Amino acid sequence: QLIDQRFADQPAEIHYAGIAFTRIGILTLMMQDLLMLVPLTGIAIAIFSLWLFRRWLVVWATLLTTLFGLACTIGVMGLNDDDINQLTLTFPVLLMVIIVANSIHFFHRYFREIGNGQSVATAVRMTAVQVGQSAFLSCFTTMIGFYALMTADMAILRSFGFYLGSGVLMSYIGMLLVIPACLLLAAPAPVPQRHDDNDWLQRMVGFCIAPRGRRQVTMAGVAVLLAGSWLASHADYDYFLSDMLDDDHPQVLAGNVLDTELAGALPVEISLLGEAGDFRTPQGLFILHQLGEWLQREAGSNSVLSLASVLGSLNQAMGSDKALPDDANAIAQLLLLAEGSSDGIVQQLVSEDFSHARIKSNLPDLGAERIMQLQTRLHHYAAELTKDSNIRVRMTGEIPVAYEGMNKLTHELIDSVLTAMVFVVLTIFVVFRDIRLALGSIFPNLLPIVFGLGIYALSGQALNPLPGIAFCIAIGIAVDDTVHLFARFNEELAKGSERNQAILDAVREVKGALVSSSVMLTAGFAVFLLSAFTWNRELGMLGVVLILSALAADLVFTPAILSFQRATPALDKP
């Protein structure tokens, strides 16, 4: 503020660059997003619920359920004395749409039972039993998808996984507490049935489960999965500080000026640790000088500050043609001269006993991958350079640490998704007690993940940490649809239906809820497209793609896979 006031009348723009100001800009945008996106999501939920069921009771019951889940999650954060960070800041919108997705299944089944002539009490009881069981499993698998993040090394990822996973579980409790009570108290009349033209969906499912069709669909799915897996293996994981904000953001503009016109926007340091007196010897100064030149040559840095560069400049200013003094007496004299500077330059660059030195520089925003490669190459070069001394060299500073952490965060997200997939398959096997159903759940739930990574590989874009969260969410949502379809399929089998007829009936009964919940989830992710924060927009776009691909997989490939196997209803087993 003092700078802004001092230069208020000057014809110049003032921009602030660097990590600290970029973080401030990011958090400011994210807080603005939170205040804008949460109300928008609530309005979208209300409008969609009213359009879908035409009952205000559904709107209020759904909003109360979301408030219950949000309040409990915030309460857990408060009890844990934790603050909202860049990841957990997204949880309100994500949790709201996940809660609504399960609520839609409950309302669909209730109104279908009412339409079949059941009383309100009977419809509520039947819905609570049938949908409650499958909703618990779907919430449990979604919770696993988030809890899998707790296997990560990074605290920010563990906290995000814990809070979202706990929020999903508590939202299930809220759904069972709020929605049945509202239905029993208000006893809403049946929703008039819409006459749709969705026979094409039944015809498509019929083709997928026919002997010839299921072979073709499954072979096509395997081909897509293999091709997608190959593409996914070539996806890049990289992090650029400048990518977190729009190109015209003041912090980005300031960083571009520093990168192109000056030394660079991002500070980096090389730390050297030896024994007392090592860095007042010709050998120690030579090592500092060589490392500085290597950094200029390999990293493109045109500004390197070290004790060697200071003493070398003084040496040349005194009339010497040498870049560095080559004897102890000359070094001692130059040190006396340098120590007399008003800014304490020597104390900034070397410890009092000359056992610890630092090289300071600035780099442009090269990205996490190049910074990590640069760090590795520096360590190899330094090991060869210092092999005849006791000096140890490490690249340090906020940039290498932050960049390494961000890339590690992205890799851990993908590893957590694969871990979650294993646990999800095991959970489905335990609940349905059929290994064939468990194996059949792998394909439709793995395909959206592979498809999303394949898109990044084809587009040449690098996957960032926050959009990577969409994969954890997608696996939970994709499993939700699969679980509801499996549960209804087993229910139809328990009634004595033939296998293919059970598939057709299951799809007919749940397709409305599957499509409606997927539309609501897509709308929830689409809300992020309105964000001023780049990563939020990427999260929204990736979430939309993953949810729609998961829905397509469940309506096309899951029936085909089910038609290959005869699953025995869990209710008939001991």
Side-chain angles (χ1 to χ4, degrees), residues 118-173:
Q118 302 291 346
S119 66
V120 171
T122 302
V124 170
R125 184 177 66 254
M126 292 178 64
T127 303
V129 172
Q130 298 297 335
V131 177
Q133 291 176 352
S134 55
F136 173 77
L137 181 56
S138 66
C139 285
F140 187 75
T141 53
T142 304
M143 182 186 70
I144 289 176
F146 287 120
Y147 274 174
L149 298 177
M150 296 176 66
T151 62
D153 292 332
M154 301 191 70
I156 188 174
L157 203 54
R158 293 197 302 270
S159 65
F160 177 81
F162 174 71
Y163 293 133
L164 263 293
S166 301
V168 169
L169 184 60
M170 288 182 290
S171 71
Y172 169 77
I173 297 174

Side-chain angles (χ1 to χ4, degrees), residues 211-377:
R212 181 181 179 183
R214 68 187 177 208
R215 288 194 297 269
Q216 294 176 348
V217 169
T218 303
M219 289 176 61
V222 171
V224 171
L225 187 60
L226 292 175
S229 299
W230 181 83
L231 282 174
S233 66
H234 291 77
D236 291 328
Y237 307 91
D238 207 355
Y239 165 74
F240 289 82
L241 185 67
S242 57
D243 283 349
M244 300 179 73
L245 298 171
D246 289 332
D247 292 339
D248 58 350
H249 194 278
Q251 266 77 57
V252 175
L253 296 176
N256 290 337
V257 172
L258 292 177
D259 287 345
T260 58
E261 305 295 333
L262 300 171
L266 306 179
V268 66
E269 293 190 4
I270 299 175
S271 174
L272 300 93
L273 182 63
E275 297 179 352
D278 275 351
F279 295 106
R280 62 184 304 162
T281 65
Q283 182 188 24
L285 292 179
F286 175 77
I287 291 174
L288 288 171
H289 175 72
Q290 290 298 106
L291 288 173
E293 286 198 335
W294 185 93
L295 195 60
Q296 287 180 308
R297 181 174 64 253
E298 298 295 327
S301 173
N302 56 13
S303 172
V304 175
L305 180 63
S306 69
L307 186 63
S309 65
V310 171
L311 297 187
S313 298
L314 289 175
N315 195 39
Q316 291 179 329
M318 299 294 290
S320 173
D321 57 354
K322 298 179 181 179
L324 286 174
D326 55 6
D327 64 82
N329 290 331
I331 292 173
Q333 291 176 357
L334 291 172
L335 279 172
L336 287 174
L337 183 60
E339 288 172 348
S341 64
S342 59
D343 58 357
I345 188 64
V346 173
Q347 289 80 4
Q348 294 183 42
L349 300 174
V350 68
S351 62
E352 186 176 357
D353 63 352
F354 290 86
S355 64
H356 185 195
R358 68 198 295 199
I359 300 174
K360 302 172 66 175
S361 183
N362 286 76
L363 299 178
D365 191 2
L366 302 174
E369 284 296 323
R370 288 186 61 186
I371 291 292
M372 293 301 100
Q373 293 171 5
L374 184 70
Q375 185 181 50
T376 301
R377 287 171 25 226

Side-chain angles (χ1 to χ4, degrees), residues 204 447 547-559:
M204 181 189 70
L447 184 62
I547 296 302
L548 292 180
S549 60
L551 176 64
D554 271 309
L555 291 177
V556 175
F557 298 114
T558 300

Side-chain angles (χ1 to χ4, degrees), residues 94 97-98 142 145-146 160 164 417 449 468-478 521 525 539 546-547:
L94 297 178
V97 294
I98 291 173
T142 304
F146 287 120
F160 177 81
L164 263 293
V417 168
I449 309 300
I469 293 173
F471 290 104
C472 299
I473 300 168
I475 190 172
I477 300 306
L521 287 164
F525 275 105
L539 171 63
L546 293 177
I547 296 302

